[in-house]
Amino acid sequence: MRPFTYERAASAADAAAKAASVPGARFIAGGTNLLDLMKLQIETPAHLIDVNGLGLDKIEETADGGLRIGALVRNTDLAADGRVRRDYGVLSRALVAGASGQLRNVATTAGNLLQRTRCPYFYDPNQPCNKRQPGSGCSAIGGVTRQLGVIGTSDACIATHPSDMAVAMRVLDATVETVRPDGTGRAIPIADLHRLPGDTPHVETVLERGELITAVALPRPVGGTQLYHKVRDRASYAFALVSVAAIVQPDGANNGIAWGRVALGGVAPKPWRVEAAEAHLKQGAKATTAVLLADARPTPDNAFKIKLAERTLAAVLREARA
Amino acid sequence: MKFDTPAGTNPIDRLTVVGKPTDRIDGPLKTTGTAPYAYERHDVVAGQAYGHVLGAAIAKGRITRMDVAAARAAPGVITIVTAETAGPLGKGKWNTAKLLGGPDIQHYHQAVALVVAETFEQARHAASLIQVDYQAEPGAYDLAAARAGATEAKGEPDTGAGDFHGAFAAAPVQLDATYTTPGQSHAMMEPHASIAAWDGDKLTLWTSNQMIRWGVKDVAQTLNMPEENIRLISPYIGGGFGGKLFVRSDALLAALGAKAAGRPVKVALHRPLIANNTTHRPATIQRIRIGTGKDGKIIAIGHESWSGDLPDGKPETAVQQTRLLYAGANRLTAMRLAVLDLPEGNAMRAPGEAPGLMALEIAMDEMAEKLGMDPIQFRILNDTQVDPEKPERPFSQRQLIACLQQGAERFGWSRRPAKPASVRDGRWLVGMGVAAGFRNNLVTKSAARVRLDGQGVVTVETDMTDIGTGTYTIIAQTAAEIMGVPLDRVVVRLGDSSFPVSCGSGGQWGANNATAGVYAACMKLRQAVAQKLGFNAAEPHFADGHVSSGGHAVPLAQAAKGGEMVAEDGIEYADLHKRYQQSTFAGHFVEVGVDAATGEVRLRRMLAVCAAGRILNPKSARSQVIGAMTMGAGAALMEELAVDKRRGFFVNHDLAGYEVPAHADIPHQEVIFLDEVDPISSPMKAKGVGELGICGVGAAIANAIYNATGVRVRDYPITLDKLLDRLPEIA
Amino acid sequence: MGTRYHTDVSRRGVLLGAVASVALTTSARGGQATPTGGDGAAATSSGPVPVMNPVKAKVSFTVNGKAETLEVDTRTTLLDALREHLRLTGTKKGCDHGQCGACTVIVDGRRINSCLTLAVMHEGGSVTTVEGLGTPARLHPMQAAFVKHDGYQCGYCTPGQICSAVAVLEEIKAGIPSHVTGDLTKAPPLTATEMRERMSGNLCRCGAYSNILDAMAEVAGLQSAGGPA
């Protein structure tokens, strides 16, 4: 970890402006991923802007009946919020499926969205990695890939996005609210926040330099049975091999399903949702997964994720109907 | 004290302290964070600087250039140690690869430099500024590919009896199956750590090491200095499991760094370095052939194992148990060792038996099924009370049948359906599995010094270590029992090379041998005390803080009123272990649930019934067994050092990538110790239990998964991807 | 997020050891991103290395009820501030990356991994470490229960387990849900399954889990953690 200067930001706009103007500046909130990577010289900020004092730690109801979640709301508090538990169960479920109690007590809403991949080659500075060192090559391809991505990947990168929370937010159609260095704000649909790697896997989001996430807004509750099923080798405290976030409106007819939404975690560089696949939920998991993962390009080591996703979705649909 | 005849009645048999479930005497320190571990000794020497280790970025090749200028110029940097600056170094007897690499690199993350700085943050950052040019060379990293070229390892000849090949070929029922176990990492919670301080040419190392005497010798050999100038101090060890049997780079580099810096230096290996920098349990490929008659009696049993290591390394002795566990006139065991350029393979908890039983005990389950027999019945049918290779050698004690039978009853084995995949509990496919546990009892000499002061306090000193095994407590119990004092009148000092040489901690030999050494020293002290107090009777009675004989009682403390009394002695073994096979046995029982949709395996119940001689402290012994069962569960279900076969390193080299069991993975665990005393083993009549618990449990899990699903997996760990294709279709 | 990368990889060849011997240069920062920011802190293989001195900052917080003011390198984690500066070594460093839980302490009433937070981020904070729970002579009930149930072996993960265990019982009491909570709209039950899941951020390689559960169950007033519940 290189030396860095440190300041506590006075306001969100000020923080954004500083982040854009001070060379090597980064925001720090929970820091659970940033410090992890700084210790490995993977992140090397020269200046840290501590945004914890900005008061962005509230969960408020929005005018249209939804919820606005402050960027600094800790994962524990978001999961425990009564409104979230009642109306956005998939989000609460996804949050508590992630990390550990200690990490959830610190990790923030925005930080969770912006956490970086857990690809072991990204984490080892001795190994070439296009995400860490653009143009150096991807050493994961042809290497140990069991945990890595099967869809949305590229010849430059097969890393996955490790968040559980983001997968739930994707089925909830959340919107990410930011402030830019010039003081203006914008709202980014969560579907658009993360970029696919293509030839530039080091560019992970559409955020501009210095742009600060201030909140995540959830639209008004959509009801339905909300489930999050995370599959992993260890029973807890492990990243997903595959996870399924689903909102299903049960129905007496239609094979038990009136409508539904589904997104996958653990398979792609971003929460993976294909809206067109959701029309097939009534036909079942196989038909849905066939569309959802139609363009999958797995490795021999992680091809099982296709079948696992299908079977996990089947279990989720069965539970939703029950 | 020479132990050359089976133990008769002795003071330990009173069992007023020994054999009682006793809270650890170090418990209040450990639970309050006041037990000092190696890296934490702010108290021992002033001016400690911080060292940070740089590991090699390639698996095999040479350093062609190393530029340390930027690091040297970085703020706070005091000195930088490399192979070039260190001068000629020897290599310890117990090390296969050099602890400080360069210019040749023998494995990934082999240490190539230590940066010493004023602060931890400075040392870590400066290490990142060192630039190293490498000339990489091709290496061998794939055991399966290297298998064909593997050769017989030095000192590990094939063993056998009768005509295995002929008998197997003719056997009416045959099994020929191949199993694999992956490399595993000790992953002890305390990283390898040392503080080094020089006083002239004398070196003191506060370190985390299981084997103090081996450590002194290997530090001497590596630094080319006399043993008497080296002191190792290791009173608390945050887990070892074999990973701290040997001197590692933290100790060597702390010593070299302190010398170069001219002040004390402390070094802890950072976690991402540990898997590749230190040792690991090597992967194996194991072929097992069993031939039986239609009656289920084993006619032929063969076990071959392939493993790999660096040049001059050793094989994983995975066939060991197969020489002794089951009867059968025609036998073969063989080990072949391939040269691999992966990090150094070496001992990890129950080396040999742990991976060996993971294979053998699946094979036994498969064979029982072929025969249409209950797997417990099949094992009982093939029990032996003698060494099958040398039938004139009996086991000193062997209660395997009792372990299996009592376990079956306790666990409700009769409820297990013989037909796999026939029990369903909601989303779970449920199954039960059993396996035999087996681990040898090793005897080796061990010494101690015992002091008695004027307050009647008994102090034991030995270089024995407590790696979580409960050694402090069982040694205190032993001394209390023999000297006739309450436990709180005993002080135990461990892990210091200035104390008499013990057996150290490894191979589950610690408890029996170390306490036997303390027994010897205490018996000597008793003699001196009796003499001092004027007891002429051969055997005065030591109890309740008094020495008595024929109605005459004197306080024990009286003997030391005029000055401390000291006795030193040790246990040495004659040939009882040659005349008798000494082993420990277990029956492992497991119930699993397998998620019918995802193939996730979750343990529901675990039971081990153990026969392991006298249990000195049932509380800490039970903990050893459940801990080993937990590690065995990890081996069965999730642990695998994933090899990048192109680049030659373990990719998942941290505790997020290398998954070990967490709380949520482990159900309530039950342990039963059978009543057993083994007078052949030592005056303590005890044997080890610390490794028995891991021996067999993995196969019991594998067999339970088979019983739950009907899917037989022969490649560990049994992760869901190996089950998924063969699970029932779901709607 | 404005992460920018140094793109000069000319001296960093790709290692393909199985093919032929090839040259490769790395530093511990070799192959990793180095910022292009104007401070010039990143050494390149050709240029001179500007010295970049540590940045010191003052921070005040209370530890186990005692006010402490430290001047630390901004890089100092709360864990290292405790262990190296305040010499409170009860809090352990097992992985330094949030992967083991040995460094768990309670900050402002919540358990956290002290390895993944900077000391300077805790101005005005209140930290409780294992030393603040009890002493060998006056054990906290959870510490005493760990001794009684042998909820530890080597002892290295133990302070973190105990800090977590104390906090977990509070979290259940406070109604915070977990991964195994059945009905999200209700308060989570105090069961062995809940405790196991919540304790899963504290690894114990000695495998004392079953005993730790018994210790927690006793403190929580449960009859037994023994059952499969």
Side-chain angles (χ1 to χ4, degrees):
Chain A
M1 193 187 294
R2 63 182 292 197
F4 56 82
T5 47
Y6 169 86
E7 71 173 309
R8 297 186 187 95
S11 73
D14 187 43
K18 271 274 181 52
S21 62
V22 177
R26 292 292 306 269
F27 304 120
I28 186 165
T32 53
N33 189 215
L34 181 62
L35 287 170
D36 174 27
L37 295 169
M38 285 167 66
K39 291 177 185 193
L40 296 166
Q41 294 285 114
I42 293 166
E43 296 273 13
T44 52
H47 181 68
L48 284 185
I49 302 168
D50 185 337
V51 296
N52 284 294
L54 297 184
L56 304 171
D57 55 356
K58 303 188 179 53
I59 305 173
E60 297 161 332
E61 280 151 46
T62 60
D64 67 351
L67 280 186
R68 173 170 289 108
I69 303 156
L72 293 168
V73 173
R74 310 290 154 170
N75 289 176
T76 297
D77 297 319
L78 184 54
D81 184 88
R83 293 159 294 186
V84 174
R85 286 157 79 171
R86 187 188 62 219
D87 297 330
Y88 306 94
V90 65
L91 178 57
S92 191
R93 291 276 180 217
L95 281 159
V96 295
S100 67
Q102 293 96 309
L103 290 163
R104 294 193 296 268
N105 278 341
V106 174
T108 63
T109 305
N112 189 316
L113 288 174
L114 296 177
Q115 66 181 300
R116 307 196 67 191
T117 184
R118 299 286 164 164
C119 173
Y121 294 91
F122 171 74
Y123 259 80
D124 188 335
N126 290 325
Q127 305 304 324
C129 170
N130 288 322
K131 192 184 271 298
R132 195 174 1 88
Q133 180 80 34
S136 62
C138 172
S139 49
I141 294 172
V144 174
T145 59
R146 182 170 176 270
Q147 296 273 347
L148 302 181
V150 299
I151 194 162
T153 54
S154 72
D155 290 342
C157 183
I158 59 171
T160 57
H161 193 267
S163 173
D164 292 297
M165 183 197 78
V167 185
M169 285 182 169
R170 182 70 178 86
V171 285
L172 289 167
D173 285 330
T175 304
V176 177
E177 299 178 357
T178 71
V179 59
R180 287 181 283 200
D182 64 3
T184 62
R186 63 167 169 161
I188 305 167
I190 191 158
D192 300 335
L193 176 69
H194 298 103
R195 293 170 43 127
L196 293 180
D199 295 331
T200 55
H202 59 292
V203 186
E204 294 173 351
T205 69
V206 298
L207 297 178
E208 296 168 11
R209 185 171 173 210
E211 189 170 3
L212 176 71
I213 295 177
T214 53
V216 175
L218 301 180
R220 59 181 304 140
V222 294
T225 301
Q226 304 201 2
L227 296 169
Y228 188 78
H229 196 129
K230 180 175 184 178
V231 182
R232 43 193 162 176
D233 295 320
R234 184 155 77 184
S236 185
Y237 200 22
F239 294 98
L241 291 165
V242 162
S243 68
V244 173
I247 304 176
V248 175
Q249 186 62 54
D251 187 352
N254 294 314
N255 198 19
I257 295 171
W259 57 265
R261 300 178 187 174
V262 61
L264 301 179
V267 296
K270 60 190 284 187
W272 196 254
R273 182 176 174 197
V274 177
E275 277 82 348
E278 289 161 6
H280 298 269
L281 282 167
K282 290 172 191 173
Q283 281 96 62
K286 202 181 216 59
T288 308
T289 318
V291 179
L292 195 50
L293 295 178
D295 299 322
R297 294 196 317 164
T299 69
D301 285 352
N302 67 23
F304 74 93
K305 287 190 174 188
I306 309 281
K307 182 157 216 167
L308 181 59
E310 181 192 316
R311 294 181 68 99
T312 308
L313 178 58
V316 164
L317 294 180
R318 193 174 50 199
E319 189 181 339
R321 282 192 297 255
Chain B
M1 177 183 287
K2 189 95 165 177
F3 185 70
D4 50 11
T5 52
T9 301
N10 67 41
I12 297 296
D13 293 323
R14 297 187 307 165
L15 299 179
T16 60
V17 190
V18 169
K20 297 270 189 277
T22 305
D23 291 350
R24 289 171 201 249
I25 61 173
D26 46 335
L29 295 181
K30 285 182 172 174
T31 56
T32 56
T34 47
Y37 296 80
Y39 195 76
E40 302 168 351
R41 301 305 298 269
H42 293 291
D43 57 318
V44 292
V45 55
Q48 297 169 19
Y50 291 80
H52 192 82
V53 178
L54 178 65
I58 62 167
K60 191 180 183 193
R62 285 175 61 79
I63 294 172
T64 54
R65 189 185 72 107
M66 192 184 257
D67 182 353
V68 299
R72 201 180 291 286
V77 170
I78 299 162
T79 189
I80 297 173
V81 175
T82 66
E84 209 175 346
T85 70
L89 295 173
K91 186 163 73 66
K93 174 187 169 189
W94 297 99
N95 295 131
T96 304
K98 291 193 293 180
L99 298 177
L100 177 58
D104 292 333
I105 299 301
Q106 295 167 288
H107 63 84
Y108 193 70
H109 276 174
Q110 185 174 31
V112 296
L114 179 82
V115 176
V116 178
E118 295 290 342
T119 72
F120 169 69
E121 293 79 15
Q122 290 169 334
R124 180 177 58 193
H125 182 239
S128 75
L129 300 176
I130 297 176
Q131 292 233 352
V132 189
D133 292 359
Y134 296 96
Q135 188 76 25
E137 289 164 21
Y141 309 116
D142 182 354
L143 177 60
R147 177 181 175 177
T151 57
E152 189 176 299
K154 207 168 70 182
E156 301 284 0
D158 297 356
T159 67
D163 167 21
F164 169 76
H165 294 284
F168 179 74
V173 186
Q174 298 172 350
L175 173 83
D176 181 350
T178 297
Y179 306 84
T180 63
T181 63
Q184 294 162 359
S185 187
H186 307 85
M188 71 296 280
M189 299 313 299
E190 181 205 24
H192 301 70
S194 298
I195 300 174
W198 291 85
D199 180 5
D201 55 3
K202 292 195 188 316
L203 169 67
T204 304
L205 278 165
W206 292 268
T207 188
S208 185
N209 190 293
Q210 302 173 224
M211 300 292 295
I212 299 302
R213 183 66 192 150
W214 293 3
V216 169
K217 280 175 171 281
D218 270 5
V219 169
Q221 201 160 315
T222 309
L223 291 175
N224 304 306
M225 60 186 282
E227 288 170 23
E228 54 272 24
N229 286 355
I230 297 165
R231 184 163 170 207
L232 255 60
I233 300 174
S234 187
Y236 292 96
I237 296 151
F241 314 112
K244 292 174 182 167
L245 285 168
F246 319 117
V247 173
R248 297 300 315 169
S249 58
D250 57 301
L252 174 67
L253 289 171
L256 291 170
K259 185 119 215 169
R263 60 189 266 197
V265 168
K266 60 194 238 177
V267 177
L269 299 185
H270 44 289
R271 181 60 66 178
L273 198 71
I274 292 177
N276 286 283
N277 177 271
T278 70
T279 60
H280 68 282
R281 190 203 297 284
T284 66
I285 300 170
Q286 302 179 48
R287 182 187 187 194
I288 294 177
R289 282 174 286 177
I290 303 173
T292 69
K294 290 230 166 21
D295 60 356
K297 287 212 161 152
I298 293 174
I299 297 165
I301 183 163
H303 192 161
E304 297 154 272
S305 175
W306 290 260
S307 60
D309 203 355
L310 290 163
D312 304 319
K314 296 194 186 85
E316 178 68 25
T317 54
V319 304
Q320 254 170 195
Q321 70 291 322
T322 308
R323 297 176 64 183
L324 292 160
L325 191 48
Y326 297 112
N330 303 287
R331 319 179 66 84
L332 167 72
T333 69
M335 288 180 278
R336 295 293 178 266
L337 178 63
V339 172
L340 292 181
D341 299 297
L342 290 170
E344 176 175 334
N346 220 314
M348 178 169 148
R349 200 172 200 169
E353 276 97 334
L357 283 159
M358 286 168 80
L360 177 65
E361 289 297 289
I362 295 184
M364 289 296 285
D365 202 63
E366 294 198 60
M367 197 66 196
E369 191 183 34
K370 269 181 193 271
L371 289 160
M373 288 182 78
D374 178 89
I376 292 177
Q377 203 48 46
F378 177 52
R379 288 177 174 90
I380 290 172
L381 183 68
N382 289 291
D383 187 52
T384 174
Q385 293 293 316
V386 298
D387 175 350
E389 287 176 10
K390 297 188 190 104
E392 69 281 7
R393 255 181 106 229
F395 282 89
S396 62
Q397 299 275 350
R398 180 172 163 127
Q399 298 200 72
L400 175 60
I401 292 176
C403 289
L404 292 168
Q405 287 177 332
Q406 288 197 25
E409 186 163 329
R410 178 83 189 169
F411 203 67
W413 182 254
S414 59
R415 295 198 301 274
R416 168 190 174 267
K419 186 171 171 291
S422 48
V423 179
R424 183 84 185 231
D425 175 11
R427 60 189 257 221
W428 302 100
L429 306 167
V430 180
M432 286 190 220
V434 69
F438 172 93
R439 175 74 173 149
N440 280 332
N441 181 58
L442 304 173
V443 293
T444 181
K445 67 180 184 177
S446 190
R449 183 160 56 224
V450 190
R451 305 173 183 276
L452 173 67
D453 73 10
Q455 275 71 54
V457 173
V458 176
T459 300
V460 183
E461 295 170 340
T462 164
D463 83 355
M464 181 58 191
T465 50
D466 187 332
I467 59 175
T469 37
T471 315
Y472 276 107
T473 309
I474 57 171
I475 283 180
Q477 288 174 278
T478 301
E481 191 76 79
I482 301 173
M483 299 311 297
V485 297
L487 202 59
D488 63 9
R489 305 300 284 167
V490 181
V491 174
V492 181
R493 295 200 182 120
L494 300 180
D496 186 328
S497 62
S498 69
F499 299 154
V501 175
S502 74
C503 56
S505 296
Q508 79 170 14
W509 64 61
N512 179 50
N513 293 293
T515 55
V518 172
Y519 174 95
C522 285
M523 292 306 278
K524 196 170 189 177
L525 181 61
R526 274 168 66 123
Q527 221 168 27
V529 166
Q531 209 164 25
K532 183 79 169 271
L533 295 177
F535 285 92
N536 293 319
E539 281 289 317
H541 195 57
F542 286 68
D544 306 322
H546 286 72
V547 188
S548 59
S549 179
H552 172 55
V554 183
L556 176 67
Q558 190 69 41
K561 278 288 183 264
E564 188 187 57
M565 296 194 68
V566 185
E568 185 172 331
D569 199 1
I571 193 80
E572 281 181 70
Y573 298 90
D575 65 346
L576 284 174
H577 57 290
K578 296 198 177 98
R579 284 156 50 203
Y580 295 88
Q581 176 58 38
Q582 297 181 26
S583 305
T584 62
F585 297 88
H588 282 288
F589 293 81
V590 174
E591 183 178 88
V592 302
V594 180
D595 187 306
T598 65
E600 289 164 288
V601 179
R602 299 293 179 250
L603 302 173
R604 293 159 76 101
R605 293 190 292 142
M606 301 180 87
L607 165 69
V609 182
C610 303
R614 172 175 281 154
I615 301 303
L616 303 173
N617 180 357
K619 187 173 271 192
S620 55
R622 179 181 168 280
S623 294
Q624 280 284 288
V625 176
I626 67 167
M629 289 158 74
T630 300
M631 194 176 278
L637 297 176
M638 62 190 84
E639 292 184 36
E640 174 174 18
L641 284 168
V643 179
D644 187 311
K645 292 168 188 168
R646 309 158 305 167
R647 296 163 184 275
F649 73 109
F650 301 131
V651 173
N652 49 344
H653 51 68
D654 60 26
L655 290 175
Y658 185 84
E659 290 180 13
V660 301
H663 274 270
D665 292 292
I666 301 302
H668 180 72
Q669 295 167 313
E670 191 177 1
V671 179
I672 295 169
F673 292 111
L674 298 186
D675 273 340
E676 183 174 299
V677 285
D678 193 337
I680 308 286
S681 73
S682 83
M684 302 302 294
K685 306 174 186 174
K687 292 186 284 204
V689 294
E691 298 186 333
L692 180 60
I694 197 176
C695 293
V697 69
I701 293 168
N703 296 337
I705 293 169
Y706 176 73
N707 186 244
T709 62
V711 180
R712 182 67 76 182
V713 179
R714 300 186 183 87
D715 301 296
Y716 290 99
I718 305 175
T719 46
L720 59 90
D721 43 305
K722 295 169 187 169
L723 301 169
L724 214 50
D725 281 339
R726 292 181 280 171
L727 291 177
E729 282 299 315
I730 61 165
Chain C
M1 285 296 292
T3 306
R4 292 147 297 132
Y5 294 89
H6 180 63
T7 52
D8 174 16
V9 293
S10 59
R11 303 204 62 233
R12 294 177 184 135
V14 175
L15 169 70
L16 280 171
V19 178
S21 76
V22 294
L24 166 87
T25 298
T26 72
S27 64
R29 55 172 203 91
Q32 92 281 7
T34 49
T36 52
D39 51 75
T44 63
S45 52
S46 47
V49 184
V51 169
M52 179 138 178
N53 284 312
V55 180
K56 293 272 198 171
K58 212 174 231 184
V59 62
S60 300
F61 42 65
T62 67
V63 180
N64 301 327
K66 188 172 165 222
E68 303 280 3
T69 297
L70 295 173
E71 191 173 7
V72 293
D73 190 317
T74 51
R75 293 172 290 183
T76 305
T77 59
L78 178 60
L79 173 61
D80 287 324
L82 292 169
R83 281 170 64 82
E84 305 303 327
H85 294 257
L86 297 171
R87 302 192 171 188
L88 286 168
T89 54
T91 307
K92 304 304 183 193
K93 185 184 281 190
C95 72
D96 216 13
H97 288 274
Q99 301 165 351
C100 79
C103 67
T104 302
V105 297
I106 300 168
V107 176
D108 302 330
R110 295 186 157 205
R111 58 181 172 137
I112 70 167
N113 296 124
S114 61
C115 74
L116 286 187
T117 190
L118 296 170
V120 293
M121 293 166 71
H122 293 281
E123 179 65 34
S126 166
V127 182
T128 301
T129 71
V130 73
E131 293 97 334
L133 292 177
T135 63
R138 295 181 57 140
L139 296 175
H140 182 280
M142 189 64 78
Q143 293 168 324
F146 268 61
V147 173
K148 177 179 166 188
H149 293 280
D150 214 35
Y152 59 95
Q153 292 185 43
C154 80
Y156 200 76
C157 75
T158 311
Q161 300 276 358
I162 289 172
C163 284
S164 248
V166 167
V168 158
L169 297 186
E170 292 300 317
E171 286 167 16
I172 295 174
K173 232 181 257 174
I176 293 168
S178 87
H179 175 58
V180 298
T181 305
D183 184 346
L184 278 181
T185 61
K186 293 195 180 120
L190 180 58
T191 62
T193 305
E194 282 281 357
M195 289 191 285
R196 280 189 192 108
E197 161 59 26
R198 291 164 192 269
M199 290 297 291
S200 289
N202 290 85
L203 301 181
C204 170
R205 188 57 161 162
C206 295
Y209 297 134
S210 191
N211 290 351
I212 291 170
L213 250 292
D214 289 343
M216 290 177 69
E218 176 171 313
V219 174
L222 288 183
Q223 282 302 305
S224 160

